[in-house]
Amino acid sequence: MRDLRAKVIQDQTATLIWTAPDPGNASITSYTIYYSNGEKELKVTSKTRTNTFELSNLTPDTNYTVKIVAVSALGEGLPYRGALRFKTKGFHSGKEGLFFHTFYTKP
């Protein structure tokens, strides 16, 4: 896997794109995407062999780290050597230019 990048980053979604690895002796059937916000690691498997995937249900204004692994009939391959890091946008209200951040103050 190479050239892993986030093509479009929004408040709750990010579109990932990468260059497929050499499949070797077995064709790639899907990809497993591992992503973390620093508190927990999640895993999702793409349903196709395409080299794009949209992560959804992300938390606004949060840093994420992503690793992708190609899957074939032989199982998972080696993960992408580097990790992609990105930050989602703040929550957008739907009004142009207006963003919300949540702050907690003690009573």
Side-chain angles (χ1 to χ4, degrees):
M1 203 86 51
R2 21 180 244 272
D3 302 324
L4 174 59
R5 60 195 182 279
K7 186 175 178 184
V8 178
I9 301 171
Q10 297 297 327
D11 56 347
Q12 296 180 337
T13 63
T15 302
L16 307 175
I17 188 167
W18 61 89
T19 303
D22 178 1
N25 295 330
S27 295
I28 295 170
T29 57
S30 64
Y31 291 92
T32 301
I33 297 103
Y34 295 91
Y35 62 105
S36 171
N37 63 6
E39 294 179 15
K40 61 181 174 178
E41 183 175 80
L42 301 169
K43 174 177 119 172
V44 64
T45 301
S46 70
K47 303 291 184 197
T48 65
R49 297 179 302 200
T50 62
N51 62 336
T52 61
F53 188 83
E54 183 177 275
L55 288 175
S56 58
N57 298 317
L58 302 177
T59 303
D61 198 32
T62 302
N63 292 308
Y64 283 90
T65 302
V66 178
K67 293 182 180 181
I68 297 183
V69 178
V71 180
S72 71
L74 301 175
E76 285 192 355
L78 297 174
Y80 177 71
R81 291 183 190 171
L84 170 68
R85 292 178 176 80
F86 67 87
K87 184 174 185 175
T88 52
K89 293 182 178 182
F91 179 74
H92 192 272
S93 70
K95 305 243 185 229
E96 190 169 334
L98 184 59
F99 288 84
F100 291 97
H101 293 274
T102 303
F103 296 95
Y104 175 77
T105 55
K106 292 183 180 180

